[in-house]
Amino acid sequence: MPDQPIRIGILGVGVVGGGLYQILESNAGEIRRALGTDIVVAGLADIDWDRPRDFSVPEELKTTDALALINNPNIDIIVETIGGTGVAKDYVMTALAAGKSVVTSNKELMAKHGEQILSAAAQHGVDVQFEGSVGGVIPIIRSLKESLTASRLDEIVGIVNGTTNYILTRMSQEGKEFAEVLAEAQRLGYAEADPTDDIEGIDSTNKLAILAAIAFGARVPVEQIYREGIAAVTTTDLDYARQMDYVIKLLAIGKRDNDQLELRVHPALLPADHPLAAVSGVFNAIFIRGPECGEMMLYGRGAGALPTGSAVAADVIDCARNIIHNSAGRVSCTCEGQAQIKPIEEVETSVYLRMRVADRPGVLGTIATIFGQEGVSMQSVIQESAQDNSAEIVWIMHKGPEKNLQSALSCIRDLNIVQDICSMIRVVE
Ligand code: HSE
């Protein structure tokens, strides 16, 4: 049994860094049993030691100088829980160049600079682990890289953002509109003061880029992923969806399509009996399909100090094990070239459409004729009359090329009998 402890430095003592520190303190016995030695926190760096924290850190471990930890020859592993792609990237690259393995929970960093970071790790013979970057406690990255490494995957669909899932769940359950639920979520601390990354789907897009690169073995330029957020989803759409046995979720969708990948983040109608439909509130889940594994789903808490902190702690233990057994750097990037991403216009989807039209003879027929001319096939239609001589029509269209639908909609939008095309939400079967 090795008795030399493995020493780590933690950069960024916020929610995740703090959760990691608490877990390493409270679960030291379990960790020693698993690893055969201790993980010792040799220092924690943060720019603000005055902000309130619900745990205490010994004064002698606190620093504001991250580089002092990175350059400390007695520290073996650097944990980056700062976030963003500014100093976090500089520190990670400096730590790798100094021959230290790195653990990060930074999805934006790995989504945008994963290739550069993994190459640097391979060059210096050290590890980079990033389980905490997607799905919090859910062991999705390790499952894809290790447990499913011999399986070909055709599809990976995730609810990977807790904030938006919480908002959509409450809208659906309580009949409150997006803005009201968002404001309440911010008051309760479930949504950030600036929620843009979450509600616009940016956070989910970064996570999808990471998952798709591993699942499909190709580098994914995150800016090429099609993205829509949830701000336009209304309780009216959630109600119609429910009537038709669907739920609405913000999904991160990755699919293999011959030599191309379909990658998109958008709200979607999902059949109520799909395993992802039962994922409510702040929970995350990732559904996978492949010829060998069949259908499977991993579910758990996608954020929070202890869930994400425990994923980061497991990565630290993994890096520590590799250091003890002189096997650091044995796993590097598994991507082969860059993914060919199918443009959204080429993607074939089924859609839900809600429009407000004049309630008079021939309206439905006129619109249906345009859909037919553009090759868009109807699956079902509901019409509800309002009191002001207008009617709301809700269509579900059969799966077809998105470009046909867009060209039909651009003609329909110009008809004077059409007051508004209120919603267009893709349907996932
Ligand atoms: N902002 C993320 C979410 C949590 O709402 O799920 C961390 O990835």
Side-chain angles (χ1 to χ4, degrees), residues 12 17 47 98 120 180 195 231 271 338 345 355 362:
I47 50 170
E180 186 182 353
Q338 186 164 307
E345 308 77 49
M355 53 184 79

Side-chain angles (χ1 to χ4, degrees), residues 316-330:
V316 168
I317 293 168
D318 208 28
C319 288
R321 199 173 275 130
N322 285 342
I323 291 169
I324 291 166
H325 296 287
N326 281 321
S327 54
R330 82 195 149 84

Side-chain angles (χ1 to χ4, degrees), residues 107 161-163 198 203 207 303:
K107 61 238 160 169
N161 184 270
T163 305
D198 293 318
D203 176 78
K207 292 167 177 170

Side-chain angles (χ1 to χ4, degrees), residues 171-404:
M171 285 173 68
S172 171
Q173 288 174 349
E174 297 170 28
K176 292 180 180 168
E177 292 298 350
F178 169 78
E180 186 182 353
V181 177
L182 171 62
E184 278 181 30
Q186 286 174 305
R187 265 201 307 281
L188 294 168
Y190 289 120
E192 303 275 350
D194 178 359
T196 314
D197 276 11
D198 293 318
I199 64 175
E200 295 295 331
I202 297 165
D203 176 78
S204 295
T205 306
N206 285 329
K207 292 167 177 170
L208 178 60
I210 295 170
L211 293 181
I214 303 169
F216 303 123
R219 286 188 292 279
V220 172
V222 69
E223 64 288 348
Q224 286 184 29
I225 298 180
Y226 178 80
R227 171 174 62 81
E228 275 176 32
I230 63 160
V233 176
T234 64
T235 54
T236 307
D237 298 314
L238 289 158
D239 288 343
Y240 276 118
R242 190 180 303 111
Q243 271 182 47
M244 297 182 290
D245 277 337
Y246 289 99
V247 297
I248 300 180
K249 297 285 184 189
L250 181 71
L251 297 183
I253 301 171
K255 279 189 194 172
R256 203 190 280 282
D257 183 353
N258 297 314
D259 53 358
Q260 289 188 310
L261 294 184
E262 255 184 45
L263 299 174
R264 46 199 166 97
V265 168
H266 54 69
L269 268 73
L270 193 65
D273 60 358
H274 190 289
L276 284 168
V279 178
S280 298
V282 295
F283 279 87
N284 283 197
I286 297 112
F287 175 86
I288 298 167
R289 195 195 307 266
E292 293 82 23
C293 65
E295 294 179 352
M296 56 179 282
M297 190 170 92
L298 284 84
Y299 167 89
R301 289 194 180 272
L306 297 182
T308 309
S310 80
V312 175
D315 277 352
V316 168
I317 293 168
D318 208 28
C319 288
R321 199 173 275 130
N322 285 342
I323 291 169
I324 291 166
H325 296 287
N326 281 321
S327 54
R330 82 195 149 84
V331 183
S332 56
C333 180
T334 49
C335 289
E336 231 180 23
Q338 186 164 307
Q340 296 301 312
I341 300 179
K342 197 172 193 178
I344 190 73
E345 308 77 49
E346 305 294 327
V347 166
E348 299 214 349
T349 51
S350 168
V351 291
Y352 155 98
L353 288 169
R354 179 166 63 88
M355 53 184 79
R356 184 158 283 275
V357 299
D359 193 2
R360 55 173 196 257
V363 169
L364 193 62
T366 305
I367 298 171
T369 302
I370 295 175
F371 279 131
Q373 282 163 349
E374 298 297 333
V376 179
S377 170
M378 279 164 275
Q379 179 181 314
S380 66
V381 59
I382 301 174
Q383 178 179 322
E384 286 195 6
S385 293
Q387 301 199 326
D388 57 352
N389 291 332
S390 70
E392 193 157 66
I393 308 182
V394 171
W395 319 74
I396 299 274
M397 299 306 186
H398 279 301
K399 192 171 175 181
E402 178 126 348
K403 60 173 180 278
N404 294 6

